[in-house]
Amino acid sequence: MVRIFNQYVSLKLLLLGGVEALLTFLSLLCGAKLRFWGDPAQFSEYTALPGFGLETVVFVLMFQICFHYCDLYEHAVAGNHGRQAVALMESLGAGFLLLGLTYCVFPMLLIGRGVLFISTFLLGGFVALSRCALDKACATAFEERVVILGVGELAGKVALEMLRRKDLAIALAGFVAYGPWQPGREFLGYPILGGMEDLEKITAEWQVSRIIVAMEDRRGRLPIANLVRLRVGGVRIEDAHAAAAALTGRVWLDTVRPSWFVFSDGFDRSKANRIAKRSIDLG
């Protein structure tokens, strides 16, 4: 997963956006190829027309807009195959209607001779297959194993939010207790892997790549030396409030400490940042 504007964004969804834009273009080419299957000269002549490039750009752009507005790239939809299928059908129908309106206003952009129908049908199949393939590939290729330091209310909230984000390739290995604990105990159905004194051992044994610190009271209890050694070794250390804000896009005011607002980098008000955020909000 990657962070954009201090929020976690699924790498799979970013890949899907690029892959599906390419598949939209390929579906148009394949549609034209199938339409002129028995006449290669006609296919070459059709794709060599001066307006074919502009027609292709409009076709790709319209469907990408519909994919976005029909929530195909929303993390809540990405982890649900049924909702993906409904969103895909809605986006294909909306895209077809939107292209029809565009062709009424700009007839020179019309993709005629049956190519539009074939291409739209192929696009639905290509998108469905690409999502199934990427679901399987990304489930293991980009998986990040996480341990939460803490077993209190804050740790529970972060864990639940993490489990809701099924689009992120996150595997919660378990929790690390910062007080007395008993072997074999669980928290929210995940094992308590050990105490703070075992943090480095747990990280190596479970191949942890990120530790989220979710301790309500850190005064004199935070294992600074262990965390520094792990951080130098390449393990990401993250505060629970920052992780929760990145996962949900919201700040938990009932648990956040005032110092978090001071040290957080999520309040950058640069001009470029405001323009980019405003563009995304309008989208």
Side-chain angles (χ1 to χ4, degrees):
M1 60 185 174
V2 295
R3 293 184 70 162
I4 298 178
F5 298 131
N6 293 301
Q7 292 191 31
Y8 289 140
V9 178
S10 169
L11 187 57
K12 182 180 76 173
L13 292 182
L14 292 177
L15 286 174
L16 279 174
V19 168
E20 289 174 359
L22 178 61
L23 290 176
T24 308
F25 168 69
L26 290 177
S27 67
L28 182 58
L29 284 182
C30 292
K33 185 67 176 178
L34 288 174
R35 174 63 180 80
F36 303 109
W37 183 261
D39 194 345
Q42 276 283 81
F43 172 75
S44 299
E45 181 182 343
Y46 180 78
T47 54
L49 291 173
F52 184 73
L54 184 57
E55 293 171 5
T56 302
V57 170
V58 172
F59 182 82
V60 173
L61 184 61
M62 291 298 177
F63 275 109
Q64 285 300 111
I65 290 173
C66 290
F67 287 165
H68 172 71
Y69 279 103
C70 291
D71 296 333
L72 266 179
Y73 300 125
E74 284 293 318
H75 62 82
V77 175
N80 189 313
H81 294 294
R83 292 182 64 181
Q84 280 192 66
V86 173
L88 178 58
M89 296 301 295
E90 290 177 347
S91 58
L92 291 176
F96 199 84
L97 290 174
L98 191 58
L99 282 172
L101 293 174
T102 303
Y103 296 153
C104 288
V105 180
F106 304 103
M108 73 289 298
L109 298 176
L110 177 63
I111 300 174
R113 308 186 70 173
V115 175
L116 178 61
F117 293 96
I118 299 173
S119 300
T120 305
F121 179 79
L122 289 176
L123 178 58
F126 286 168
V127 170
L129 290 174
S130 70
R131 287 184 171 249
C132 290
L134 276 175
D135 279 345
K136 294 181 179 179
C138 293
T140 54
F142 303 112
E143 187 174 77
E144 188 173 1
R145 191 162 292 178
V146 178
V147 158
I148 297 178
L149 178 54
V151 288
E153 180 184 2
L154 181 59
K157 286 184 176 181
V158 174
L160 291 175
E161 292 298 340
M162 189 182 301
L163 296 174
R164 287 193 184 101
R165 291 294 303 271
K166 298 183 183 300
D167 60 309
L168 300 176
I170 301 176
L172 179 59
F175 298 85
V176 175
Y178 55 85
W181 66 283
Q182 297 178 356
R185 292 287 300 275
E186 292 186 348
F187 182 63
L188 297 179
Y190 287 85
I192 299 177
L193 304 173
M196 289 192 297
E197 66 278 3
D198 304 316
L199 188 57
E200 292 182 78
K201 178 183 175 182
I202 292 170
T203 302
E205 182 179 345
W206 289 84
Q207 298 181 339
V208 174
S209 56
R210 185 185 300 259
I211 297 173
I212 296 177
V213 180
M215 297 171 59
E216 283 85 355
D217 185 7
R218 303 180 185 179
R219 291 171 294 183
R221 310 177 74 179
L222 193 64
I224 297 295
N226 293 344
L227 291 174
V228 169
R229 282 194 292 268
L230 290 170
R231 184 69 184 90
V232 172
V235 179
R236 295 202 61 176
I237 312 297
E238 193 167 11
D239 177 71
H241 301 94
L247 286 166
T248 64
R250 304 187 305 273
V251 177
W252 291 342
L253 296 178
D254 56 337
T255 59
V256 71
R257 299 184 308 276
S259 60
W260 182 83
F261 290 97
V262 177
F263 296 108
S264 174
D265 57 356
F267 302 96
D268 181 15
R269 302 296 295 175
S270 67
K271 186 175 181 180
N273 200 348
R274 288 200 301 269
I275 293 174
K277 285 188 175 183
R278 184 60 177 165
S279 301
I280 293 174
D281 289 342
L282 289 175

